[in-house]
Amino acid sequence: MKKHNREQENSKPEKQSWFKSKKNVEQEGTEKLSETVEEVSETEVISETVEEITETAETVEEAVAETAADEVVEEVADDAAEVAEEAAEGAESGESSEIVPAEDAIETITETLIEENAEEAESDEKDADSDEKDADSDKEEDEEVPDDDSEDDSDDSEDDSDDSDDEEEDEDEKKDKEESEKEKSALYMFFDTIKFVAIGLLIGILLVVFVVQRNDVYGSSMEPTLHTGDAVFVEMISVYTGNFSRGDIITIDAKGMDGYAHDENLIKRIVGLPGETIKIADGQVYINGELLDESDYLPAGTMTYVGAEGQARGYDEITLGPDEYYCMGDNRGGSNDSRRMGPFKKSQIDAKVLMRIYPFNKMKIF
């Protein structure tokens, strides 16, 4: 029997791994049943019953193997063993009339176990279906959750995009503001430059017209103090204030006066002030009857004379008016001045010489 079962087992095609495990259990139950049958078959009374049980067990074994039900095989084997034991006990005690035919007993047991196994299989299928449904629902939930996450992510991305758009707008606004500020600053700088240039020009004009000018010396009437070609700075403030002193070098507009036919201004030194009496005699200059010391600007031994034309006009001795100045050049022998043209009015004075700026080696403040 064992050999037959093993040969039958070996003759069966291989199935999946889970079926092999069930087959092992089946083989164990069959071995147990075979051992019991061998013990029972020793008695002559139930030998035929044992053979029928064995054949029925093999039939059940094949049915169970086909359905791959472990519990059916085990229970059939146990029940067959119990039946065999009861048959053996009955045979020993002589109560053979109580033994249930093997076919009926095995069929009853098989049907019962198959029904139970079917019910359990149905319940297992139901449980499996419920598990699959639960798994599907879990998958759906899991799939929905990523959707939510994706929605959240999309919302976040939208928020991020909105934030990025806002940031880009802010950056654009900042850039526009910076550009406008740069343009404004450039305009401000341009207008500031124009303003400073205008102010500089205005100041320059004011300085040139009302404060300081550069004049050039032509002629030799002021030698040895000034020579032709010298450049001097003159200021006009004293003209407005009337602050003139004896010894100041001034420029004079002498156009229209007798004895002067040039358009250039004269450059002379103030000798007599308004209200003073000027007298020139014996080569000397007297102010209000006193000898004038001119050693600061005239070389020693310089003599001063008045020509016949000037004497005829009375310019060798004259009392000056309130706004008159008696002016002469330092080159007393070659200067056309008050000794010939008479005193100069205050209104004819254009400027006062501040300093000689050229030649550079002869720069001097007066």
Side-chain angles (χ1 to χ4, degrees):
M1 296 297 294
K2 290 182 180 180
K3 185 177 179 180
H4 175 73
N5 291 335
R6 288 176 183 174
E7 289 176 354
Q8 185 177 2
E9 180 181 356
N10 291 327
S11 64
K12 294 179 182 180
E14 289 186 358
K15 296 183 179 181
Q16 298 177 355
S17 60
W18 57 270
F19 183 74
K20 289 181 180 180
S21 63
K22 296 178 184 296
K23 191 172 182 181
N24 292 330
V25 175
E26 176 186 348
Q27 185 176 358
E28 291 178 0
T30 304
E31 290 177 355
K32 290 180 181 180
L33 181 60
S34 298
E35 291 176 358
T36 305
V37 169
E38 287 177 357
E39 292 177 358
V40 174
S41 61
E42 292 178 356
T43 62
E44 294 178 354
V45 178
I46 60 171
S47 59
E48 294 178 357
T49 305
V50 170
E51 289 178 358
E52 292 177 357
I53 291 171
T54 303
E55 292 175 357
T56 306
E58 289 176 357
T59 303
V60 172
E61 179 182 355
E62 291 176 357
V64 171
E66 290 177 358
T67 58
D70 295 338
E71 293 180 359
V72 174
V73 174
E74 291 178 358
E75 291 180 1
V76 168
D78 292 336
D79 292 337
E82 290 178 0
V83 170
E85 288 178 359
E86 289 178 357
E89 289 176 359
E92 290 176 358
S93 61
E95 295 177 354
S96 60
S97 61
E98 295 180 359
I99 296 174
V100 179
E103 292 179 357
D104 296 337
I106 290 171
E107 288 178 0
T108 303
I109 293 169
T110 302
E111 290 176 357
T112 303
L113 292 175
I114 289 171
E115 290 176 358
E116 291 177 357
N117 189 20
E119 291 177 356
E120 290 178 359
E122 290 178 357
S123 63
D124 291 335
E125 289 178 358
K126 292 180 181 179
D127 294 334
D129 293 334
S130 63
D131 292 335
E132 288 178 358
K133 290 180 181 179
D134 294 333
D136 293 334
S137 62
D138 292 335
K139 288 181 180 179
E140 290 177 356
E141 290 178 356
D142 293 335
E143 291 177 356
E144 290 177 355
V145 168
D147 291 337
D148 295 335
D149 293 336
S150 63
E151 290 178 357
D152 295 334
D153 293 335
S154 63
D155 294 335
D156 294 335
S157 63
E158 289 178 356
D159 295 334
D160 293 335
S161 63
D162 293 334
D163 294 335
S164 62
D165 293 335
D166 294 335
E167 290 178 356
E168 289 178 357
E169 290 178 357
D170 294 335
E171 290 179 356
D172 293 334
E173 290 178 357
K174 289 180 180 179
K175 289 181 180 179
D176 293 335
K177 289 181 180 179
E178 289 177 356
E179 290 178 357
S180 62
E181 288 177 356
K182 288 180 179 178
E183 291 177 356
K184 289 180 181 178
S185 63
L187 291 173
Y188 288 148
M189 290 177 66
F190 177 73
F191 287 119
D192 288 338
T193 303
I194 292 176
K195 180 176 69 177
F196 286 125
V197 170
I199 291 171
L201 290 174
L202 180 61
I203 292 172
I205 292 169
L206 292 174
L207 288 173
V208 170
V209 174
F210 300 102
V211 182
V212 178
Q213 289 181 355
R214 177 185 176 276
N215 290 340
D216 294 329
V217 178
Y218 296 99
S220 60
S221 64
M222 284 296 294
E223 292 178 356
T225 304
L226 296 173
H227 299 270
T228 185
D230 289 353
V232 296
F233 276 154
V234 299
E235 55 91 5
M236 285 77 72
I237 296 175
S238 298
V239 174
Y240 303 106
T241 61
N243 185 20
F244 298 107
S245 301
R246 198 187 320 276
D248 290 343
I249 299 173
I250 60 174
T251 60
I252 303 166
D253 183 6
K255 291 188 294 290
M257 294 182 69
D258 291 339
Y260 189 75
H262 302 284
D263 292 332
E264 294 83 11
N265 289 344
L266 296 173
I267 181 167
K268 305 298 178 180
R269 189 185 297 273
I270 295 175
V271 176
L273 299 174
E276 294 180 342
T277 300
I278 308 299
K279 182 181 180 180
I280 300 173
D282 301 329
Q284 302 294 324
V285 179
Y286 297 89
I287 304 295
N288 294 330
E290 294 182 359
L291 181 63
L292 178 63
D293 184 9
E294 298 181 281
S295 59
D296 292 340
Y297 47 85
L298 293 179
T302 300
M303 304 301 288
T304 304
Y305 296 101
V306 179
E309 186 178 357
Q311 291 178 6
R313 294 177 180 176
Y315 297 148
D316 56 342
E317 185 177 357
I318 185 175
T319 299
L320 301 174
D323 59 348
E324 293 180 339
Y325 293 88
Y326 199 94
C327 302
M328 292 184 290
D330 291 349
N331 184 5
R332 297 295 165 84
S335 174
N336 185 15
D337 48 36
S338 294
R339 290 175 298 171
R340 182 184 177 189
M341 293 182 289
F344 299 101
K345 301 289 185 181
K346 179 181 179 182
S347 60
Q348 292 178 281
I349 301 174
D350 284 339
K352 181 172 74 173
V353 177
L354 288 175
M355 64 180 297
R356 177 172 53 199
I357 59 173
Y358 183 83
F360 299 117
N361 60 346
K362 293 181 178 180
M363 293 179 66
K364 182 181 179 180
I365 297 174
F366 301 110

